[in-house]
Each structure stands twice: as C-alpha cells, then as structure tokens.
Amino acid sequence: MKFLDPEWHDKLSSTNTVLLDWLKSREKIPPGFVLAALEQTAGHGRYNRHWISKAGRDLTFSFVLSTSNVLEELASLTQAVALGTAAALDTFGFLTQTKWPNDLLVRGRKIGGILSEQSDVQYNDGKAIVVGVGINVNMQDMEPITLIKTATSIRIETGRKYAIKDVLNTILEMLPQWIDRWEEGGFPAIREDWIARCVSVGESVTVGDGTERQSGILAGFGDKGQLLLRVKDGVLREVWAGDVEL
Ligand code: BTN
C-alpha cells in the first residue's frame, strides 16, 4: 500500500471517528489517506477507553486502507500495524515490544496503541478499514508517578525531544511493507515476527476481556492472530478478544 501526504489538523475529536464519518459523508477519501491531529478531544482506545494525549506532545493519527481480506482476518491487521510501528520506533534507539493484541511497550511500559475499526464503505477492490495509532512522543518523566510507572515516551527513552510530524513520517515509511505482508499472507505471514516481539510468550498470563478473566500459559497464536492459552489439564483455549494483563 501507499500513503498519501498526511492531512494535519490542530484539533479533532478523534482521528478514527472523524475519518469514519468522512468515509460515509464525503466523496474521495481514497485508500492511503492519513489524518493526523495535534490534539484530540475525544480520543479512544478499545472498549471505549479514553486515549489521553496532549496537544503537540503526542502523536495521534489514523489512516484508511482497502482490504479484500475476510472479516476474520481483521484482528490481525492491528498486529501487523503494531509490528510496523514497533520497527519504526526501534529506529529511535530502543527496543519496542508488543503486548497482545494491540499495545506497544518499552521496558514493560506503554508507549503506544493501535485501534482498527471497520467502515461500512466499500471500495472497488475491498472494504474500507480505519486504523488509528497513538504514540507518546514528548511526555516527560515529571508526569504523575502512577502514569510514569505504566507509561513511557520516546523522550523518556532517549532523553531527546522530537518533532511530532517527523515521528509520523518515520512510521509511515515503515508501515507499508508490514501491511502488504499481512494483505498477502494474513497473520501466518507475520507470526514469527509477532512472536519475537510479543511479551509473555511461554509465560503464565491472565487475559481479561472486561467480563471474564482466564489464566494459563501463553502458548502461541493461531492463524488469525488469536491467543492460544494453555489452561489446566493441558487444554488449549483460543482467546479472540481481551488484553493480556501485566
Ligand atoms: C488502545 O491502546 O486501546 C488503542 C489506542 C489508539 C489511540 C489512537 S490515537 C489516534 C486514533 N484516534 C483515536 O481516538 N484512537 C486512535
């Protein structure tokens, strides 16, 4: 896939929500369109959790792609985007890990997250999907201690301040090859890289989806990116939604 030059706005509610609205209401939002905001007033993550970012401090953007992959492959698109974003963040000089299914971590602390949402809009060659990415860029370690324990930023990891737009350009350079691999081969095409970057593989984990929590050994990932949890008596359960709790 190819990205168009990003369209930057000073303030939007949520780049995902606005892009989903524009797809419905405006003509000519082509695949590869990138919408970025210096500030979001209603940023959200999965399960409608608030996504907190600050004006000019953090990177928030979304893009639209057209995919012919079937619906059940879509969860793993988030994983492909997480891998591409992680590879881009590594170029700043630290090791970025993933946490199933959509988190980006450095030293066990969250530096970013991905949210894919499906649009009803159909392109000639496939469905329109909106993928949003949020990255903590210039947050400093003088933030409240509760946040610093669980979150980090490019600035905290490198000791340097970065131009938000440059961080976006670095990510956009890296992403297409990962999305193309996913488009051609689904999750199996990125599984090895996912396992290499993902925290807690082979370890005891608890996975929660807001209503149910289950514990076991994170044994691996199925062909659609679903988590394989070995529970008691050696039974292997497939987990399709939720978060690995750290
Ligand atoms: C998560 O950790 O649950 C995913 C967070 C995704 C946040 C990004 S910021 C840009 C885009 N707009 C949103 O409202 N959410 C995504």
Side-chain angles (χ1 to χ4, degrees):
M1 81 167 294
K2 274 207 173 79
F3 289 114
L4 305 179
D5 285 343
E7 181 174 309
W8 275 96
H9 289 251
D10 287 344
K11 197 193 264 194
L12 293 174
S13 55
S14 144
T15 53
N16 264 40
T17 307
V18 170
L19 201 40
L20 286 164
D21 284 351
W22 285 2
L23 277 164
K24 262 193 265 172
S25 61
R26 289 189 180 187
E27 281 177 31
K28 292 212 185 92
I29 300 289
F33 183 88
V34 181
L35 182 64
L38 289 174
E39 184 178 357
Q40 291 191 133
T41 53
H44 59 276
R46 288 182 323 131
Y47 304 114
N48 259 331
R49 293 172 189 143
H50 290 298
W51 180 260
I52 298 180
S53 53
K54 274 200 190 156
R57 188 193 70 177
D58 300 309
L59 172 62
T60 53
F61 72 98
S62 303
F63 59 90
V64 58
L65 63 89
S66 167
T67 181
S68 53
N69 269 351
V70 293
L71 212 67
E72 53 172 5
E73 299 284 355
L74 291 186
S76 62
L77 167 62
T78 303
Q79 290 163 297
V81 173
L83 286 175
T85 308
L89 293 181
D90 280 0
T91 65
F92 291 93
F94 46 80
L95 174 69
T96 311
Q97 290 186 287
T98 56
K99 181 166 79 66
W100 186 85
N102 70 326
D103 286 328
L104 295 168
L105 308 181
V106 179
R107 295 182 299 116
R109 291 157 196 209
K110 186 149 169 165
I111 197 165
I114 322 287
L115 176 69
S116 304
E117 296 184 276
Q118 218 185 315
S119 164
D120 301 330
V121 170
Q122 191 78 22
Y123 289 117
N124 290 342
D125 57 348
K127 292 177 287 285
I129 311 290
V130 167
V131 184
V133 181
I135 303 292
N136 303 331
V137 178
N138 287 322
M139 180 178 88
Q140 287 180 277
D141 50 14
M142 55 183 63
E143 297 289 339
I145 191 71
T146 42
L147 187 61
I148 290 303
K149 272 193 190 153
T150 55
T152 189
S153 68
I154 303 180
R155 184 169 186 173
I156 291 174
E157 296 306 319
T158 61
R160 281 189 51 197
K161 200 172 169 199
Y162 289 87
I164 307 289
K165 293 187 181 180
D166 291 347
V167 176
L168 175 56
N169 293 337
T170 305
I171 294 173
L172 292 181
E173 265 172 40
M174 210 65 106
L175 277 184
Q177 50 181 301
W178 290 90
I179 294 172
D180 290 347
R181 265 168 74 178
W182 170 84
E183 181 73 35
E184 280 154 28
F187 184 74
I190 58 165
R191 181 177 2 227
E192 255 182 50
D193 294 276
W194 177 264
I195 289 172
R197 270 202 199 266
C198 188
V199 294
S200 304
V201 177
E203 296 172 10
S204 246
V205 292
T206 297
V207 191
D209 67 1
T211 48
E212 200 196 351
R213 295 171 81 222
Q214 30 185 351
S215 298
I217 304 291
L218 201 178
F221 301 91
D223 280 352
K224 308 289 181 225
Q226 73 274 32
L227 185 148
L228 304 177
L229 192 67
R230 193 167 300 285
V231 294
K232 55 178 180 333
D233 302 330
V235 174
L236 204 56
R237 278 208 196 144
E238 294 187 315
V239 185
W240 292 89
D243 288 297
V244 169
E245 297 173 5
L246 283 188

